[in-house]
């Protein structure tokens, strides 16, 4: 009730109250007894005697001797004794008998493991290929002196344009849009000055290929 809330069940109707004898089991309907139904055979009388004198012509001695001679010799079950009192135990289930190393497929890698190893190897090769491709795409490229100089001049030109726009602002900043515009221009000039300083400071510059 703490997690799911009160149970939403339909309340029982007042009309469906427990009535007298409503829980008693109903008996099957009565059937008329029929004397003609089949019955069990009658019990033999005391004067009845069983049939006697019937003899079989089968020679049980010769039959048993032939079964023993032609039958397969029963091998004794291998056992081992672990105490001097003669406690016997099954040898096959004890682990002392080399049962599994005599199998034909002993020491052979199962087929499902070979298949799984191939799938893992294939997935690893695809992953390595993907990593090498990303590394090749993200390889660093060195800027030449001409490109460095062109980037530097472009940044200085942008800074001059932003500075000129900043100088054209009104002296009195008396509204919120003017303050926001002034802040944006100051941030842009600061970022351009930082970029220009980095390029002028470092002669060799590498960029990542995207």
């Amino acid at each position: 009730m703490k997690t799911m809330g009160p149970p939403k069940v339909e309340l029982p109707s007042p009309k469906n109250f427990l009535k007298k004898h409503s829980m008693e089991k109903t008996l099957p309907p009565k059937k008329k007894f029929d004397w003609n139904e089949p019955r069990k055979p009658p019990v033999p009388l005391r004067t009845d005697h069983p049939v006697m004198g019937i003899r079989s012509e089968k020679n049980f001695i010769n039959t048993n001797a032939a079964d023993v001679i032609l039958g397969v010799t029963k091998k004794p079950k291998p056992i081992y004794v672990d105490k001097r009192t003669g406690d016997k135990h099954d040898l096959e289930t004890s682990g002392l008998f080399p049962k599994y190393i005599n199998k034909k497929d002993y020491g052979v890698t199962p087929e499902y493991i070979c298949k799984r190893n191939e799938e893992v190897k294939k997935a690893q090769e695809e992953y390595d290929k993907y990593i090498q491709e990303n590394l090749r795409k993200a390889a660093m490229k060195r800027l030449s002196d001409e490109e460095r100089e062109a980037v530097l001049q472009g940044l200085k030109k942008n800074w001059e344009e932003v500075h000129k726009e900043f100088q054209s602002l009104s002296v009195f900043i008396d509204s919120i849009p003017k303050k926001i515009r002034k802040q944006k221009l100051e941030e842009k000039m600061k970022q351009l000055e930082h970029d220009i300083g980095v390029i002028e400071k470092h002669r060799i510059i590498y960029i990542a290929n995207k």
Side-chain angles (χ1 to χ4, degrees):
M1 185 171 177
K2 289 182 180 180
T3 57
M4 305 297 294
K8 297 179 181 179
V9 295
E10 186 178 357
L11 297 176
S13 176
K15 297 180 180 180
N16 298 332
F17 56 89
L18 185 63
K19 298 181 180 179
K20 187 177 182 180
H21 303 296
S22 61
M23 302 299 292
E24 295 180 357
K25 295 183 179 180
T26 56
L27 298 176
K30 294 182 179 181
K31 294 195 314 182
K32 187 178 180 181
F33 184 75
D34 188 7
W35 289 97
N36 297 325
E37 290 183 357
R39 301 184 180 182
K40 295 182 180 180
V43 179
L45 302 176
R46 293 177 62 185
T47 58
D48 295 343
H49 298 285
V51 180
M52 302 179 67
I54 299 176
R55 298 183 62 182
S56 175
E57 297 181 356
K58 182 178 180 181
N59 191 344
F60 290 96
I61 297 175
N62 295 337
T63 303
N64 294 340
D67 293 341
V68 172
I69 294 171
L70 300 178
V72 180
T73 306
K74 185 177 180 181
K75 295 182 179 180
K77 190 174 182 180
I79 59 175
Y80 74 97
V81 180
D82 59 351
K83 292 182 180 180
R84 63 181 180 178
T85 56
D87 295 338
K88 299 178 181 179
H89 303 280
D90 191 5
L91 182 62
E92 292 184 0
T93 58
S94 64
L96 302 173
F97 182 72
K99 180 179 179 181
Y100 295 99
I101 62 175
N102 295 329
K103 288 187 175 182
K104 294 181 179 180
D105 57 348
Y106 178 77
V108 180
T109 307
E111 184 179 354
Y112 75 94
I113 293 181
C114 296
K115 186 177 180 181
R116 186 177 64 183
N117 291 340
E118 292 178 359
E119 293 176 355
V120 171
K121 184 178 180 181
K122 185 177 180 181
Q124 185 65 33
E125 291 177 355
E126 293 179 355
Y127 178 74
D128 294 340
K129 186 177 179 181
Y130 171 75
I131 293 297
Q132 293 295 334
E133 185 68 19
N134 288 344
L135 291 176
R136 187 182 62 81
K137 291 180 179 179
M140 304 301 289
K141 177 185 176 183
R142 179 179 175 179
L143 283 180
S144 61
D145 295 338
E146 293 79 6
E147 292 175 343
R148 175 179 172 276
E149 189 64 26
V151 172
L152 185 59
Q153 295 298 328
L155 291 174
K156 289 182 178 180
K157 184 178 180 181
N158 291 340
W159 183 87
E160 291 176 357
E161 293 177 356
V162 176
H163 185 263
K164 184 178 180 181
E165 188 176 356
F166 181 77
Q167 292 293 334
S168 62
L169 293 175
S170 60
V171 178
F172 295 100
I173 308 298
D174 53 354
S175 62
I176 295 178
K178 291 181 180 181
K179 292 181 179 180
I180 295 175
R181 187 163 179 265
K182 181 182 178 182
Q183 291 177 359
K184 289 184 178 180
L185 292 176
E186 289 177 348
E187 292 176 359
K188 191 179 292 186
M189 289 174 61
K190 186 176 181 180
Q191 182 64 37
L192 289 172
E193 289 173 358
H194 176 267
D195 297 339
I196 292 171
V198 170
I199 295 178
E200 288 180 345
K201 183 178 179 181
H202 301 89
R203 302 291 300 176
I204 301 174
I205 299 176
Y206 288 90
I207 59 174
N209 294 329
K210 294 184 179 181

